[in-house]
Amino acid sequence: MVQSEEDDISVEASSLPPVPIQEISEDRALTETVLFPTPKLSLKISKLEIRKSLKALTYESVFATIFYSVIGGALLSNFLLELGAGPVQIGLLAAIPQMVNLLQPLGAYLVNRSTSFRWYFLCIFIPSRLVWLILLPAIVLLTSSHLAGYQVVQLTLAILLVGNIIESFGRAPWLGWSAVLVPQRLRGRYFGFRNSIIGLTNLIGIPLLGLAVSVWPGGTVQGYGAVLILGILLGLISQMCQFWMTDVNPQLLKATGSDTSQPQSQGIDFSFLKDANFCKFVLYLSIWCFAVNISAPFFNLYMLDNLDIDISVVTIYHGLGTGANMLMLLLWGKLADRIGNRPLLLLVGVLVAVTPLLWLLVRSDQISFWIWLPLLHILAGGTWAAIDLCTNNLMMGISPVRYQSSYFAIAGAVAGITGAMGITVGSFLATLPFMEGLLGLFLLSGLLRMAALVFLAFVQEQRSVPVGQLMRVLFPIRLSTDLIEVKE
């Protein structure tokens, strides 16, 4: 059966944005780097394969989301606090996944020498999830008094370190595979829909998991062990979904985005240093991640420790946030396709920067418990939906197809190291008297987030609406005028 051209979607056409209206000379250099006049090889994926792959990618994300919610966030923080962990251990809990992002460029180097995205990821993510099985016998020994709480805390952090080191080799290539499978014209809508499904999973799953841990007959520590078994199982099922995703040979993708007459680099590519626009984006991203992570790991700690709120209630708060995230994602996705990612990041980024300042009004009273904290989580969930969606889409849009894995890896590594620095600085500042504990961190984080948005204003995005015209595009106003006929 002969396949018509309409049933094919070219990867190089769908992964690259159209030629933009040039505003600065750096954009012209970027476009000339990406759009090669005579590619020797074109990789095509049919519409049917894309639909099947996107459906499988959505299912994969749902199962993986439950796994990551078990091995991170409020559930793992509460588990460590029950074992006697303090701010330093909670800070390490958040810093470790950030620090290992320094290994992402190595992952981009390795995937460029493989012949299958699918098998590369199976070799990465299955071991990184199975390593959490080591914690299960430790929980059994802890309940039988054969291990002390601090030993299990140390073991948990070690498992977290090993798992994240292995997983870091797959984070940037995973974005590269996703960029291939999702046509650019559908990225806002698809990732908005996909992330809303993930939000619905979190909305239902996290409070149920938190409730299960809280009411488990053997105590919260054994309850966490039970949900960990479920999380690992679902994490492995998510990997099986990749068999329904169209596999792509990274070698063919590299050939698609390059002129084969040019010599291929054999090491880690550093051509991004010549890309002024991408360097501006990395500068913004580094300051933003530092600012966010000064306070981000300590919101759960503030509720669980300072305000003495039960874990089941904290997960309900997070459920409200994920519910707002789910509802807003579809709107943000359509809006990003309409006005671009950068203007939306600037607009919503102001609200995200103000959010930590609003935590200064939280107290240990009924108003905060029933009104203020739920509203803060709803605000954070709705606004971070736009930040997460548009940051990834903006990075995909400004990264040349030939170097996508390398660009994603560099951005991830920079975000990781600056995020880890933010967590480290935040952990240290929280101990200083003049910072007023965690509340001082929230104030500092909000101010630094505002400063980061200044650097985002200099990043150029193809097809994005200028900030000066943003209000006119969002709220079009038609002025009525009286027509006056002039008679001769």
Side-chain angles (χ1 to χ4, degrees), residues 280-294 414-415 418-419 422 445 447-456:
K280 294 174 186 176
F281 172 77
V282 170
L283 177 61
Y284 148 74
L285 189 65
S286 62
I287 300 174
W288 178 263
C289 290
F290 180 85
V292 168
N293 283 282
I294 277 184
V414 171
T418 53
S445 177
L447 297 177
L448 290 177
R449 293 182 193 191
M450 285 288 189
L453 294 176
V454 176
F455 295 90
L456 177 62

mmCIF file of all heavy atoms in Angstrom, residues 280-294 414-415 418-419 422 445 447-456:
data_model
loop_
_atom_site.group_PDB
_atom_site.id
_atom_site.type_symbol
_atom_site.label_atom_id
_atom_site.label_comp_id
_atom_site.label_asym_id
_atom_site.label_seq_id
_atom_site.Cartn_x
_atom_site.Cartn_y
_atom_site.Cartn_z
ATOM 1 N N LYS A 280 21.516 33.370 26.596
ATOM 2 C CA LYS A 280 20.650 34.252 27.377
ATOM 3 C C LYS A 280 19.602 33.439 28.133
ATOM 4 O O LYS A 280 19.294 33.718 29.294
ATOM 5 C CB LYS A 280 19.965 35.261 26.460
ATOM 6 C CG LYS A 280 20.907 36.246 25.800
ATOM 7 C CD LYS A 280 20.139 37.111 24.798
ATOM 8 C CE LYS A 280 21.079 38.011 24.000
ATOM 9 N NZ LYS A 280 20.343 38.780 22.957
ATOM 10 N N PHE A 281 19.046 32.435 27.455
ATOM 11 C CA PHE A 281 18.056 31.585 28.113
ATOM 12 C C PHE A 281 18.673 30.837 29.290
ATOM 13 O O PHE A 281 18.058 30.728 30.360
ATOM 14 C CB PHE A 281 17.480 30.588 27.100
ATOM 15 C CG PHE A 281 16.593 29.537 27.702
ATOM 16 C CD1 PHE A 281 15.297 29.835 28.072
ATOM 17 C CD2 PHE A 281 17.066 28.243 27.910
ATOM 18 C CE1 PHE A 281 14.472 28.864 28.638
ATOM 19 C CE2 PHE A 281 16.262 27.273 28.475
ATOM 20 C CZ PHE A 281 14.965 27.589 28.835
ATOM 21 N N VAL A 282 19.885 30.317 29.115
ATOM 22 C CA VAL A 282 20.560 29.587 30.190
ATOM 23 C C VAL A 282 20.849 30.513 31.365
ATOM 24 O O VAL A 282 20.741 30.110 32.531
ATOM 25 C CB VAL A 282 21.848 28.936 29.657
ATOM 26 C CG1 VAL A 282 22.699 28.389 30.798
ATOM 27 C CG2 VAL A 282 21.513 27.810 28.682
ATOM 28 N N LEU A 283 21.206 31.776 31.079
ATOM 29 C CA LEU A 283 21.459 32.733 32.154
ATOM 30 C C LEU A 283 20.187 32.971 32.964
ATOM 31 O O LEU A 283 20.208 32.965 34.206
ATOM 32 C CB LEU A 283 21.962 34.053 31.572
ATOM 33 C CG LEU A 283 22.210 35.184 32.574
ATOM 34 C CD1 LEU A 283 23.267 34.781 33.593
ATOM 35 C CD2 LEU A 283 22.620 36.462 31.852
ATOM 36 N N TYR A 284 19.069 33.176 32.259
ATOM 37 C CA TYR A 284 17.788 33.335 32.958
ATOM 38 C C TYR A 284 17.461 32.089 33.772
ATOM 39 O O TYR A 284 17.070 32.185 34.950
ATOM 40 C CB TYR A 284 16.669 33.606 31.947
ATOM 41 C CG TYR A 284 15.326 33.057 32.378
ATOM 42 C CD1 TYR A 284 14.584 33.667 33.395
ATOM 43 C CD2 TYR A 284 14.800 31.900 31.787
ATOM 44 C CE1 TYR A 284 13.366 33.149 33.805
ATOM 45 C CE2 TYR A 284 13.584 31.379 32.190
ATOM 46 C CZ TYR A 284 12.871 32.007 33.198
ATOM 47 O OH TYR A 284 11.672 31.485 33.600
ATOM 48 N N LEU A 285 17.628 30.918 33.154
ATOM 49 C CA LEU A 285 17.266 29.671 33.816
ATOM 50 C C LEU A 285 18.086 29.451 35.074
ATOM 51 O O LEU A 285 17.574 28.972 36.094
ATOM 52 C CB LEU A 285 17.442 28.504 32.844
ATOM 53 C CG LEU A 285 16.923 27.139 33.290
ATOM 54 C CD1 LEU A 285 15.407 27.180 33.441
ATOM 55 C CD2 LEU A 285 17.326 26.063 32.284
ATOM 56 N N SER A 286 19.375 29.794 35.023
ATOM 57 C CA SER A 286 20.237 29.584 36.188
ATOM 58 C C SER A 286 19.817 30.466 37.361
ATOM 59 O O SER A 286 19.739 29.995 38.502
ATOM 60 C CB SER A 286 21.695 29.865 35.804
ATOM 61 O OG SER A 286 21.861 31.213 35.393
ATOM 62 N N ILE A 287 19.514 31.732 37.087
ATOM 63 C CA ILE A 287 19.094 32.630 38.165
ATOM 64 C C ILE A 287 17.728 32.207 38.698
ATOM 65 O O ILE A 287 17.480 32.227 39.916
ATOM 66 C CB ILE A 287 19.059 34.082 37.667
ATOM 67 C CG1 ILE A 287 20.453 34.503 37.190
ATOM 68 C CG2 ILE A 287 18.576 35.030 38.765
ATOM 69 C CD1 ILE A 287 20.494 35.867 36.545
ATOM 70 N N TRP A 288 16.831 31.805 37.792
ATOM 71 C CA TRP A 288 15.489 31.393 38.204
ATOM 72 C C TRP A 288 15.553 30.158 39.093
ATOM 73 O O TRP A 288 14.898 30.090 40.141
ATOM 74 C CB TRP A 288 14.642 31.135 36.964
ATOM 75 C CG TRP A 288 13.253 30.666 37.256
ATOM 76 C CD1 TRP A 288 12.800 29.380 37.274
ATOM 77 C CD2 TRP A 288 12.122 31.478 37.596
ATOM 78 N NE1 TRP A 288 11.459 29.333 37.592
ATOM 79 C CE2 TRP A 288 11.024 30.609 37.804
ATOM 80 C CE3 TRP A 288 11.927 32.842 37.757
ATOM 81 C CZ2 TRP A 288 9.756 31.067 38.148
ATOM 82 C CZ3 TRP A 288 10.666 33.307 38.102
ATOM 83 C CH2 TRP A 288 9.596 32.417 38.291
ATOM 84 N N CYS A 289 16.332 29.152 38.682
ATOM 85 C CA CYS A 289 16.427 27.916 39.472
ATOM 86 C C CYS A 289 17.066 28.172 40.830
ATOM 87 O O CYS A 289 16.656 27.580 41.835
ATOM 88 C CB CYS A 289 17.214 26.864 38.691
ATOM 89 S SG CYS A 289 16.340 26.207 37.260
ATOM 90 N N PHE A 290 18.067 29.039 40.873
ATOM 91 C CA PHE A 290 18.673 29.392 42.160
ATOM 92 C C PHE A 290 17.640 30.049 43.061
ATOM 93 O O PHE A 290 17.510 29.701 44.245
ATOM 94 C CB PHE A 290 19.854 30.334 41.930
ATOM 95 C CG PHE A 290 20.543 30.763 43.195
ATOM 96 C CD1 PHE A 290 21.524 29.957 43.759
ATOM 97 C CD2 PHE A 290 20.216 31.952 43.818
ATOM 98 C CE1 PHE A 290 22.162 30.339 44.942
ATOM 99 C CE2 PHE A 290 20.842 32.342 44.990
ATOM 100 C CZ PHE A 290 21.814 31.541 45.553
ATOM 101 N N ALA A 291 16.880 31.002 42.503
ATOM 102 C CA ALA A 291 15.891 31.728 43.291
ATOM 103 C C ALA A 291 14.781 30.812 43.793
ATOM 104 O O ALA A 291 14.355 30.903 44.950
ATOM 105 C CB ALA A 291 15.302 32.859 42.453
ATOM 106 N N VAL A 292 14.306 29.913 42.931
ATOM 107 C CA VAL A 292 13.209 29.018 43.308
ATOM 108 C C VAL A 292 13.646 28.040 44.383
ATOM 109 O O VAL A 292 12.934 27.809 45.373
ATOM 110 C CB VAL A 292 12.677 28.275 42.072
ATOM 111 C CG1 VAL A 292 11.750 27.129 42.474
ATOM 112 C CG2 VAL A 292 11.938 29.238 41.144
ATOM 113 N N ASN A 293 14.838 27.483 44.221
ATOM 114 C CA ASN A 293 15.262 26.412 45.124
ATOM 115 C C ASN A 293 15.791 26.904 46.459
ATOM 116 O O ASN A 293 16.036 26.095 47.356
ATOM 117 C CB ASN A 293 16.313 25.542 44.432
ATOM 118 C CG ASN A 293 15.700 24.593 43.431
ATOM 119 O OD1 ASN A 293 15.153 23.568 43.800
ATOM 120 N ND2 ASN A 293 15.754 24.965 42.156
ATOM 121 N N ILE A 294 15.964 28.198 46.615
ATOM 122 C CA ILE A 294 16.298 28.715 47.942
ATOM 123 C C ILE A 294 15.176 28.399 48.930
ATOM 124 O O ILE A 294 15.412 28.127 50.110
ATOM 125 C CB ILE A 294 16.566 30.234 47.865
ATOM 126 C CG1 ILE A 294 18.006 30.477 47.431
ATOM 127 C CG2 ILE A 294 16.320 30.914 49.193
ATOM 128 C CD1 ILE A 294 18.400 31.934 47.426
ATOM 129 N N VAL A 414 22.993 23.118 33.998
ATOM 130 C CA VAL A 414 23.069 24.449 34.604
ATOM 131 C C VAL A 414 21.949 24.634 35.616
ATOM 132 O O VAL A 414 22.166 25.140 36.730
ATOM 133 C CB VAL A 414 23.001 25.533 33.507
ATOM 134 C CG1 VAL A 414 22.848 26.915 34.132
ATOM 135 C CG2 VAL A 414 24.251 25.486 32.639
ATOM 136 N N ALA A 415 20.727 24.214 35.244
ATOM 137 C CA ALA A 415 19.608 24.311 36.185
ATOM 138 C C ALA A 415 19.868 23.469 37.428
ATOM 139 O O ALA A 415 19.524 23.872 38.548
ATOM 140 C CB ALA A 415 18.318 23.870 35.504
ATOM 141 N N THR A 418 22.749 25.177 39.688
ATOM 142 C CA THR A 418 22.268 26.401 40.335
ATOM 143 C C THR A 418 21.132 26.091 41.313
ATOM 144 O O THR A 418 21.022 26.736 42.361
ATOM 145 C CB THR A 418 21.791 27.419 39.290
ATOM 146 O OG1 THR A 418 20.830 26.805 38.423
ATOM 147 C CG2 THR A 418 22.953 27.920 38.456
ATOM 148 N N GLY A 419 20.302 25.103 40.983
ATOM 149 C CA GLY A 419 19.267 24.688 41.922
ATOM 150 C C GLY A 419 19.862 24.108 43.189
ATOM 151 O O GLY A 419 19.400 24.400 44.299
ATOM 152 N N GLY A 422 21.183 26.824 45.235
ATOM 153 C CA GLY A 422 20.100 27.512 45.926
ATOM 154 C C GLY A 422 19.661 26.764 47.174
ATOM 155 O O GLY A 422 19.441 27.380 48.234
ATOM 156 N N SER A 445 13.601 34.546 48.249
ATOM 157 C CA SER A 445 13.268 33.819 47.024
ATOM 158 C C SER A 445 12.374 34.653 46.111
ATOM 159 O O SER A 445 12.578 34.708 44.899
ATOM 160 C CB SER A 445 12.587 32.496 47.376
ATOM 161 O OG SER A 445 12.185 31.807 46.215
ATOM 162 N N LEU A 447 12.128 37.927 45.875
ATOM 163 C CA LEU A 447 12.864 39.034 45.281
ATOM 164 C C LEU A 447 13.788 38.556 44.152
ATOM 165 O O LEU A 447 13.901 39.195 43.101
ATOM 166 C CB LEU A 447 13.672 39.757 46.362
ATOM 167 C CG LEU A 447 12.846 40.425 47.476
ATOM 168 C CD1 LEU A 447 13.767 41.044 48.520
ATOM 169 C CD2 LEU A 447 11.904 41.467 46.901
ATOM 170 N N LEU A 448 14.449 37.419 44.360
ATOM 171 C CA LEU A 448 15.351 36.901 43.330
ATOM 172 C C LEU A 448 14.582 36.411 42.105
ATOM 173 O O LEU A 448 15.071 36.504 40.977
ATOM 174 C CB LEU A 448 16.201 35.767 43.913
ATOM 175 C CG LEU A 448 17.255 36.186 44.944
ATOM 176 C CD1 LEU A 448 17.980 34.959 45.492
ATOM 177 C CD2 LEU A 448 18.255 37.151 44.319
ATOM 178 N N ARG A 449 13.384 35.886 42.299
ATOM 179 C CA ARG A 449 12.567 35.456 41.157
ATOM 180 C C ARG A 449 12.216 36.654 40.282
ATOM 181 O O ARG A 449 12.222 36.562 39.044
ATOM 182 C CB ARG A 449 11.297 34.762 41.649
ATOM 183 C CG ARG A 449 11.537 33.447 42.352
ATOM 184 C CD ARG A 449 10.212 32.787 42.774
ATOM 185 N NE ARG A 449 10.435 31.679 43.701
ATOM 186 C CZ ARG A 449 9.508 30.810 44.061
ATOM 187 N NH1 ARG A 449 8.269 30.933 43.582
ATOM 188 N NH2 ARG A 449 9.775 29.831 44.899
ATOM 189 N N MET A 450 11.894 37.771 40.906
ATOM 190 C CA MET A 450 11.624 38.993 40.154
ATOM 191 C C MET A 450 12.843 39.407 39.332
ATOM 192 O O MET A 450 12.722 39.810 38.164
ATOM 193 C CB MET A 450 11.235 40.116 41.121
ATOM 194 C CG MET A 450 9.838 40.005 41.687
ATOM 195 S SD MET A 450 8.579 40.381 40.442
ATOM 196 C CE MET A 450 7.119 40.425 41.489
ATOM 197 N N ALA A 451 14.027 39.318 39.927
ATOM 198 C CA ALA A 451 15.251 39.697 39.223
ATOM 199 C C ALA A 451 15.502 38.787 38.024
ATOM 200 O O ALA A 451 15.980 39.237 36.973
ATOM 201 C CB ALA A 451 16.436 39.652 40.186
ATOM 202 N N ALA A 452 15.189 37.501 38.140
ATOM 203 C CA ALA A 452 15.428 36.560 37.034
ATOM 204 C C ALA A 452 14.583 36.902 35.822
ATOM 205 O O ALA A 452 15.023 36.714 34.671
ATOM 206 C CB ALA A 452 15.139 35.133 37.507
ATOM 207 N N LEU A 453 13.378 37.414 36.034
ATOM 208 C CA LEU A 453 12.490 37.728 34.912
ATOM 209 C C LEU A 453 13.062 38.833 34.029
ATOM 210 O O LEU A 453 12.733 38.911 32.840
ATOM 211 C CB LEU A 453 11.111 38.133 35.429
ATOM 212 C CG LEU A 453 10.323 37.030 36.147
ATOM 213 C CD1 LEU A 453 9.018 37.586 36.698
ATOM 214 C CD2 LEU A 453 10.042 35.865 35.203
ATOM 215 N N VAL A 454 13.910 39.681 34.587
ATOM 216 C CA VAL A 454 14.539 40.729 33.783
ATOM 217 C C VAL A 454 15.393 40.118 32.678
ATOM 218 O O VAL A 454 15.387 40.586 31.528
ATOM 219 C CB VAL A 454 15.393 41.654 34.687
ATOM 220 C CG1 VAL A 454 16.132 42.689 33.850
ATOM 221 C CG2 VAL A 454 14.511 42.328 35.731
ATOM 222 N N PHE A 455 16.098 39.040 32.980
ATOM 223 C CA PHE A 455 16.962 38.403 31.989
ATOM 224 C C PHE A 455 16.142 37.647 30.948
ATOM 225 O O PHE A 455 16.564 37.520 29.802
ATOM 226 C CB PHE A 455 17.949 37.466 32.686
ATOM 227 C CG PHE A 455 18.924 38.165 33.573
ATOM 228 C CD1 PHE A 455 18.638 38.378 34.920
ATOM 229 C CD2 PHE A 455 20.118 38.640 33.072
ATOM 230 C CE1 PHE A 455 19.531 39.034 35.743
ATOM 231 C CE2 PHE A 455 21.030 39.301 33.884
ATOM 232 C CZ PHE A 455 20.729 39.499 35.225
ATOM 233 N N LEU A 456 14.974 37.128 31.335
ATOM 234 C CA LEU A 456 14.116 36.442 30.374
ATOM 235 C C LEU A 456 13.639 37.395 29.282
ATOM 236 O O LEU A 456 13.406 36.971 28.142
ATOM 237 C CB LEU A 456 12.914 35.824 31.102
ATOM 238 C CG LEU A 456 11.868 35.130 30.227
ATOM 239 C CD1 LEU A 456 12.473 33.951 29.468
ATOM 240 C CD2 LEU A 456 10.684 34.667 31.075
#
